[in-house]
Amino acid sequence: MLDTPAVPHAPQLDERALARALSARHYIGGAFVPARSGASFAVVNPATGAEIGRAALGDATDVDVAVTNADGAQKAWAKLPARKRGALVAQCAALIRAHVEELARLIALETGKALRTESRVEANTVADVLEFFGGLGSELKGESVPFAPDVLSVTVRQPLGVVGAIIPWNVPLLLMSLKIAPALVAGNSVVVKSAEEAPLTVLRICELMNRILPPGVFNMLSGYGPDCGAPLVAHPKVRKVTFTGSVEVGRIVGRAAADKLIPVTLELGGKSPMLVFADCDFEKTVMGAITSMRFTRQGQSCTAASRIYVERPIFDRFVAALAARVDAMVMGDPLDEATDIGTIISEEQHAKVSAFIAEGLATAGATGRACSRLPHDPGLAKGLFIRPHIFTGLTAASRLVREEIFGPVTVVFPFDDAEAVLAEANDSEYGLAASLWTNNLKLGMDLAHRLEAGLVQINQNLVVQANLSYGGVKSSGLGKEASLESMLEHFTHKKTIMVNYAP
Ligand code: ADP
């Protein structure tokens, strides 16, 4: 018997009680189960430092049980008509919608992301993604091929089998939904390995969806990367891996998948440039920089506009306006509706981001503007808050310009020439996202075609959206997610069937 409380069936707005109730369990074969070893690890609220619950400490034994269950369930799941699978996933969307507020509060508690500006938005997006893919079942169609007169040659889309999905902590609900929804609709079963820092809200989503899906089709494990993620990738019955995380681990996962000769999708880091031309709509672009930099998510985004290039005539005015706007943002308790900016996820990340800021501030000729204010609430004294920083005066060689910081830190440069700034923007090992801000659409489209990035937006910079292929080039990754094409390409294989009916 588990010594944790029963998990509530109805939406639960006491996020602390829900966190305790979800503690120390995986979800395998349609039921909550503890780790086979009985071990668990702490889940910490980054706004207070308090332990809010436990996560089951998964290892290779748990992985084997989860994958065996998923493999057993997959055959019957794949036999359901594709539209029926889609309809079930769409039903899951409706259930998630009914629980949005609960999920938003729990993810705010677990990750320190502000409820109003981030967590509620993310929870709603999960329902959107499930709805979108839920409607795509009938798109899993094949072709007929004009091979020869008396030979009927057709292709059919078939699922790959068990999909292993490894997710990070920054937008775990959204990124998980982009993996599980197409995988399930395409007839695969899934085993998700959650991120160490954010295992509880995704577990709740898994349990909710399991009220609708057949048991074993969607399973979830928590645990550390090398002990739980690596055996998932290596398991012989896992036939596809989709991973979102760091470049370093992405390379490890990619190598392990190559050893097994299985397909892999890798969504990795970014150092996304934002190019601002003097003819832009000034106010819209300043607000666009705040959105682009994901300041409300403490900059913890692989698409964050962490390099901003501004045409010289408006450079000073732009930096001043941006700093003033960010200064007015409220940093505080993630669960408070008044809060714009919450906390960094973990002490490790806090130390890493702080070291980048210290390095920038110590650089000769550089200026770092610290914006907003740390909260005064004594209850948040141990909170992992970091003031947003806007740097100018750095050189292109600075580590702050070249490396992914994953924190509320952006660098701003003046530029004089479109070709030169294009070269600077492309001078990065990453190629995930980019944005351009100009009313000269001829110039904008020309540069958009030549920017080395998987996603380029002009005069907006939205986060990933259902129906738009998303994924990077260069070290930012391999393969796309979020669209119909990505479902077909990355979660099915095309089988050719030929019938010779010659007399
Ligand atoms: P981040 O820096 O965003 O935490 P990571 O790449 O370290 O990114 O982690 C992303 C996900 O990859 C997490 O779920 C983590 O547990 C998992 N992970 C880490 N190391 C490995 C590994 N060797 N094999 C498989 N998964 C791993």
Side-chain angles (χ1 to χ4, degrees):
M1 279 294 285
L2 294 171
D3 57 0
T4 45
V7 176
H9 194 81
Q12 167 64 264
L13 293 186
D14 179 348
E15 60 282 345
R16 286 176 174 78
L18 183 57
R20 285 193 298 276
L22 289 165
S23 277
R25 306 151 188 232
H26 302 307
Y27 205 96
I28 300 176
F32 284 115
V33 291
R36 291 300 183 275
S37 67
S40 64
F41 59 99
V43 184
V44 173
N45 174 0
T48 61
E51 179 174 318
I52 54 163
R54 312 280 305 170
L57 185 66
D59 60 18
T61 311
D62 298 306
V63 168
D64 188 53
V65 177
V67 174
T68 303
N69 266 277
D71 187 50
Q74 192 266 331
K75 314 278 180 294
W77 177 242
K79 276 193 190 147
L80 284 183
R83 274 185 70 184
K84 172 74 180 163
R85 292 195 300 263
L88 291 172
V89 169
Q91 271 184 43
C92 293
L95 188 59
I96 300 289
R97 273 223 199 278
H99 287 257
V100 154
E101 198 55 25
E102 162 197 290
L103 296 170
R105 296 188 70 83
L106 187 59
I107 195 69
L109 180 72
E110 200 175 22
T111 63
K113 290 193 299 180
L115 182 62
R116 176 177 51 84
T117 55
E118 284 290 330
S119 296
R120 197 175 281 131
V121 180
E122 186 185 0
N124 270 301
T125 312
V126 175
D128 281 347
V129 170
L130 295 180
E131 260 161 27
F132 169 73
F133 282 105
L136 294 184
S138 49
E139 295 301 319
L140 289 151
K141 52 197 176 195
E143 299 137 345
S144 73
V145 182
F147 176 74
D150 299 339
V151 178
L152 174 66
S153 178
V154 295
T155 63
V156 292
R157 289 279 177 185
Q158 294 215 316
L160 300 171
V162 180
V163 172
I166 297 178
I167 56 174
W169 47 261
N170 66 330
V171 255
L173 318 187
L174 167 64
L175 296 173
M176 178 175 80
S177 66
L178 291 173
K179 298 180 187 309
I180 60 167
L184 290 171
V185 173
N188 305 281
S189 59
V190 291
V191 177
V192 172
K193 206 294 278 173
S194 58
E196 292 83 329
E197 298 83 352
L200 298 178
T201 317
V202 287
L203 183 63
R204 176 62 157 175
I205 291 179
C206 179
E207 182 255 323
L208 291 172
M209 291 180 64
N210 265 276
R211 294 182 197 173
I212 290 163
L213 301 172
V217 162
F218 177 11
N219 310 273
M220 179 164 298
L221 300 165
S222 48
Y224 294 129
D227 303 332
C228 187
L232 178 61
V233 178
H235 196 290
K237 289 205 167 103
V238 169
R239 303 313 304 159
K240 150 91 198 185
V241 170
T242 164
F243 170 86
T244 301
S246 61
V247 176
E248 186 194 357
V249 177
R251 289 204 168 97
I252 296 172
V253 169
R255 276 195 289 271
D259 276 347
K260 285 170 62 182
L261 293 177
I262 59 166
V264 61
T265 309
L266 302 172
E267 301 291 345
L268 309 177
K271 193 75 192 172
S272 301
M274 169 173 182
L275 277 52
V276 179
F277 288 85
D279 72 337
C280 69
D281 292 334
F282 188 82
E283 285 303 322
K284 178 181 170 184
T285 307
V286 172
M287 291 312 292
I290 290 173
T291 321
S292 301
M293 187 43 220
R294 321 286 187 234
F295 274 123
T296 53
R297 201 189 300 156
Q298 298 76 257
Q300 300 173 130
S301 163
C302 34
T303 54
S306 47
R307 297 183 289 148
I308 305 181
Y309 300 91
V310 183
E311 207 168 3
R312 198 172 302 273
I314 62 165
F315 177 77
D316 290 338
R317 188 159 74 99
F318 188 88
V319 173
L322 178 60
R325 289 280 191 173
V326 181
D327 211 40
M329 294 174 81
V330 176
M331 206 184 303
D333 179 356
L335 284 156
D336 186 337
E337 295 285 347
T339 296
D340 295 312
I341 302 176
T343 72
I344 300 294
I345 186 77
S346 65
E347 285 181 6
E348 187 189 343
Q349 282 299 115
H350 190 276
K352 187 181 149 205
V353 175
S354 302
F356 273 110
I357 293 173
E359 186 173 323
L361 293 174
T363 305
T367 304
R369 291 161 185 78
C371 302
S372 187
R373 275 146 302 280
L374 297 176
H376 292 307
D377 181 348
L380 302 175
K382 291 193 180 147
L384 301 173
F385 295 94
I386 290 189
R387 295 176 74 193
H389 276 70
I390 299 168
F391 279 93
T392 53
L394 289 165
T395 67
S398 164
R399 233 164 50 88
L400 278 77
V401 181
R402 307 212 71 78
E403 296 182 21
E404 186 176 42
I405 299 174
F406 229 68
V409 182
T410 193
V411 295
V412 195
F413 291 99
F415 74 85
D416 298 297
D417 174 69
E419 287 305 317
V421 77
L422 177 71
E424 271 189 81
N426 284 340
D427 179 21
S428 167
E429 76 158 299
Y430 296 107
L432 188 56
S435 69
L436 289 153
W437 301 76
T438 176
N439 277 310
N440 180 348
L441 285 187
K442 190 162 180 278
L443 172 72
M445 284 304 289
D446 174 44
L447 296 177
H449 281 285
R450 293 191 288 143
L451 273 163
E452 293 167 1
L455 172 66
V456 181
Q457 301 181 61
I458 302 179
N459 296 331
Q460 64 169 27
N461 204 347
L462 307 176
V463 298
V464 53
Q465 306 284 318
N467 202 18
L468 300 177
S469 283
Y470 172 74
V473 296
K474 303 200 278 189
S475 291
S476 291
L478 207 60
K480 306 282 172 186
E481 297 200 317
S483 61
L484 167 63
E485 297 73 36
S486 66
M487 174 174 84
L488 298 176
E489 198 173 326
H490 297 301
F491 291 107
T492 72
H493 73 97
K494 201 188 249 191
K495 177 186 274 182
T496 300
I497 300 177
M498 302 172 92
V499 187
N500 186 322
Y501 57 89

